[in-house]
Structure formats: C-alpha cells, structure tokens
Amino acid sequence: MSIKYIWQDKEWPRFIWNNEQIARLLGEVHQELGRLTGIVSMFGFVQKTNTFLDAMTQEIVHSAEIEGEVLNHDSVRSSVARQLGLPYAGLPRIDHYVEGVVQIMLDATQHAEQPLTDERLFGWHAALFPTGYSGTYKITVANWRQSTEAMQVVSGAMGHYQVHFEAPPSKFVPDMMKLFIKWINSSTEMDPLIKAAIVHLWFVTIHPFDDGNGRLCRTLTEMMLARADGMAQRYYSLSSSILNSRKNYYEILEHTQKSSTDITEWVEWFLRTLYQAITASIGKMDKVIQKTDFWNRHADLSVNERQRKVLNRLWDGFEGKLNTSKWAKICHCSQDTALRDIQDLIKKGILRDTGEGGRSKNYELIEMEA
C-alpha cells in the first residue's frame, strides 16, 4: 500500500487547525512584532538602513544555505543596497546570479501587495536558473514541472536512498497552482501570520517546479509576512531561524505532509520559529541602541581610527576574547601598537583587563551606564 500524502486527502486543500491551541503563541508573536516596529520607529535613517540591509542579506544568504548553496555575504549585501539605491561601502564583485536572486526577494517584499501571478513566479524561477540548468541537469525553467516521473524528496546514497515525500504528479500542478494563487490573492478574515504559514506548506507540498521550490517557498513566505506587518523593509530573517533548526524544519514538513489536513502542529512550529526570528532581531537592535548611546556619551572621546574600528567591532559582536594579537590582525598593525592602543583605552575607562588569559591578557568593553 502506497504512503498517503496530505495532497491525497479528500479534504485537500481545506486546511484546519486548533485556534485555541495556537492563540497564546500567535498573540506573543504579534506582541513581539509590535515591539520590533516600535524600536525601528525610533531609529534614524542610518540605523534603519543598516538593520534592514543586515536582515535582508541574512534572509537571502541563509535561505540559499538551507538548500546547501553558499552565496557571498558581501555580494548579496552590496546588491541589495545598489538595487534599492542605498549607500554601500566598497566596490563589490559583480555577480549576475546574486543580482537575480536579490531581485526576486526585493520584488516579493517591496511589491508584496501586488497580485501573485504565474508570470511573476515564472520570472522568479528564471532568475534562479538563468542557464536553464540545475547543476549539470537541464530543467524546465519558467514553467511548471512537466516530467512524467515522480517528483520525490529523498536522502541517502544512490540505491539506498530514503523517500521523505512525493509531490503530486505534474499533470495536477497547473490546476493546483491556479487554486493556490487565487487563494493567496483573495482577501480573508484569517490572521495574516497563519496565512503565511499555510502558504509556506501549501507551495512546498505542490512542489510546482523542477528545482528551486524551497527557495521560492521562503520567498513567497517573506511576501506574505511583508503583507502581514505592512513593512516592505524586512527587519528580521525567518530563514536564519529555520537554518538554526534545519533538521527539525524538514522533519516537521515531512510529518505534516504525511498527515491529514489538520495542520495545527505545523502552524505552531512556524509561529515558534517566527517568534525566535523576531526576538533575535530585537536583541540585535538593542545592541544597536546601546552602541549608539555609547558613542553619544563619548562624543568628545579622542580615539584613533584603529581604536574606533575595534570598539565598533566589539559592539557589533566580537567572537572570543580581545587580545593584542587579534587587535593587531584586525587593524593590520604591530602588537606593540595594539598594546599602546589598548592601554590608552584602559586609561580612558573604556576597556579593562578581564584578569584571564595568563600571559596573553584578554580585554573587554566596559559598558558604562548613561
């Protein structure tokens, strides 16, 4: 007997969920979204721009990384800035593929309220596969998949692989996508965050393309989230949160796609992951506020460019402990110069010796109260 998938259920795609079970979590997500919006509203242009660029870059890079694709972080960030006419530092390498990937996400989020159409999805798909190939395999691009072979999500070595999910046959895809797109464009009384969760599951279950379904699924989800919070500028990254629990992400998708159309567990998982993404962003914003407050309180502080560079690095999140060797590496200077810089900041009450590290002393930032 073959495995029964959710799309084979007689109720498909009439999804149901337990509102009482998710009510509290849904309220908490909305509350955190309100907090995030409030913090952003207090930011100046530079803070807003940098926070937005960071979040959008992470979303694009980490969505690709979920699928095992590595994009250059700086190229993505520069492309986002350039395409939006924002200031960006340096002269990044031109990467036409990255340009296309960024265009997809910007179209989805900057024009979230525009109707979704076949042509719009086909344009996104063509930008992901400009050569018409996925790796060394020629695929159908800018159209629904057409192969008569089963579309399966598998893992393991050839001949010993495990089938995690089988998508609907290609002949069903056009009608399924017509219904899906019509539903996305329709106005409903449903909470927009729940609608985003359903869009994510529904699209990835249909698996309408030969390849790129995961990335386009998360792009569509970002479009729905932009509609939900009314902000074209994204200040948190859902894909970053998904990447942190990638194994669990695939497990909950597989479990849900082999169940009935009661998707309560999936909606819960989605909302929890969204909550984590938003709170992580708020944590970073708090650091931005602290950093700004620090420099405001020390507006008259006399520091050289090396010292300013390292102090900013400490506020932005420094890996490990600061010592003279790391200072010298960051600033491309000698360790003697690094030590003089550090000792100067200690005298000024900005840094202190942690008392750790033995001969190789470690230093930390003194977070002074306002």
Side-chain angles (χ1 to χ4, degrees):
M1 182 178 178
S2 60
I3 298 173
K4 182 179 180 182
Y5 294 108
I6 189 172
W7 57 267
Q8 295 172 308
D9 193 293
K10 63 180 181 180
E11 296 299 320
W12 166 270
R14 290 187 288 272
F15 302 105
I16 59 173
W17 58 92
N18 187 325
N19 276 314
E20 291 183 4
Q21 193 169 325
I22 65 171
R24 181 176 177 179
L25 179 56
L26 181 60
E28 289 173 348
V29 175
H30 278 294
Q31 184 176 359
E32 290 303 286
L33 268 176
R35 281 185 62 203
L36 182 143
T37 303
I39 294 172
V40 169
S41 69
M42 296 187 295
F43 279 2
F45 175 76
V46 173
Q47 290 174 318
K48 279 184 180 178
T49 298
N50 287 334
T51 304
F52 163 61
L53 284 175
D54 286 344
M56 184 62 80
T57 300
Q58 287 179 0
E59 179 60 32
I60 294 169
V61 170
H62 290 163
S63 182
E65 192 174 343
I66 291 170
E67 307 296 329
E69 182 181 12
V70 178
L71 299 180
N72 181 277
H73 180 278
D74 292 337
S75 292
V76 171
R77 183 183 173 92
S78 296
S79 179
V80 173
R82 182 168 53 253
Q83 292 189 45
L84 288 176
L86 298 172
Y88 60 94
L91 296 171
R93 291 175 304 197
I94 300 280
D95 187 325
H96 296 296
Y97 172 70
V98 166
E99 293 279 289
V101 172
V102 169
Q103 285 172 8
I104 296 169
M105 188 61 72
L106 291 181
D107 179 56
T109 56
Q110 303 295 298
H111 309 289
E113 296 302 328
Q114 290 185 4
L116 184 68
T117 62
D118 292 5
E119 289 73 19
R120 195 175 181 190
L121 279 171
F122 293 162
W124 293 355
H125 193 246
L128 280 183
F129 302 99
T131 66
Y133 283 80
S134 174
T136 58
Y137 295 94
K138 186 170 178 57
I139 62 172
T140 299
V141 175
N143 205 343
W144 311 130
R145 56 183 166 87
Q146 297 166 7
S147 174
T148 56
E149 295 182 7
M151 166 64 79
Q152 295 178 327
V153 177
V154 302
S155 67
M158 189 175 294
H160 301 280
Y161 60 81
Q162 176 184 355
V163 177
H164 298 283
F165 172 69
E166 184 172 313
S170 299
K171 63 181 180 181
F172 296 148
V173 169
D175 286 340
M176 283 187 165
M177 287 303 296
K178 184 177 180 180
L179 180 62
F180 172 74
I181 290 171
K182 181 180 179 181
W183 184 81
I184 281 186
N185 293 329
S186 66
S187 57
T188 65
E189 295 181 2
M190 182 186 305
D191 186 286
L193 297 182
I194 295 178
K195 189 167 184 175
I198 293 173
V199 165
H200 193 112
L201 176 69
W202 194 343
F203 182 90
V204 81
T205 300
I206 297 175
H207 240 67
F209 295 108
D210 276 347
D211 199 359
N213 294 286
R215 282 165 289 177
L216 291 181
C217 171
R218 289 183 291 278
T219 301
L220 272 177
T221 305
E222 284 299 307
M223 185 184 83
M224 300 308 294
L225 291 174
R227 289 184 182 183
D229 58 35
M231 292 192 297
Q233 286 72 36
R234 315 307 301 141
Y235 293 105
Y236 62 89
S237 169
L238 178 61
S239 286
S240 298
S241 195
I242 290 175
L243 183 63
N244 288 335
S245 53
R246 177 167 48 180
K247 183 173 181 290
N248 191 232
Y249 171 58
Y250 287 124
E251 287 174 348
I252 186 65
L253 281 176
E254 181 177 356
H255 171 73
T256 305
Q257 289 165 333
K258 290 180 179 177
S259 303
S260 69
T261 53
D262 184 337
I263 59 170
T264 304
E265 287 183 67
W266 162 254
V267 174
E268 275 190 307
W269 189 92
F270 182 89
L271 291 175
R272 279 198 305 271
T273 307
L274 182 58
Y275 179 88
Q276 291 163 4
I278 297 167
T279 54
S281 181
I282 289 173
K284 291 177 182 178
M285 289 181 181
D286 286 341
K287 278 288 186 185
V288 171
I289 293 171
Q290 291 174 31
K291 176 182 173 181
T292 302
D293 181 59
F294 170 85
W295 285 115
N296 286 339
R297 286 185 285 109
H298 296 89
D300 298 328
L301 181 68
S302 175
V303 293
N304 60 43
E305 286 304 310
R306 295 186 303 275
Q307 290 170 322
R308 185 174 294 275
K309 182 176 183 179
V310 177
L311 288 174
N312 280 327
R313 185 75 69 88
L314 289 171
W315 278 111
D316 293 339
F318 189 85
E319 263 190 57
K321 300 288 186 178
L322 175 65
N323 54 38
T324 54
S325 296
K326 290 183 180 179
W327 185 293
K329 186 175 181 180
I330 292 169
C331 298
H332 306 289
C333 65
S334 69
Q335 291 203 34
D336 287 340
T337 299
L339 182 58
R340 284 195 297 271
D341 285 343
I342 291 170
Q343 288 174 338
D344 178 57
L345 290 177
I346 291 175
K347 289 177 184 177
K348 291 173 177 174
I350 304 300
L351 293 181
R352 65 184 170 202
D353 187 338
T354 64
E356 303 170 0
R359 281 186 168 184
S360 179
K361 291 184 178 182
N362 295 322
Y363 306 92
E364 63 185 3
L365 186 67
I366 300 174
E367 297 189 21
M368 301 174 67
E369 296 295 331

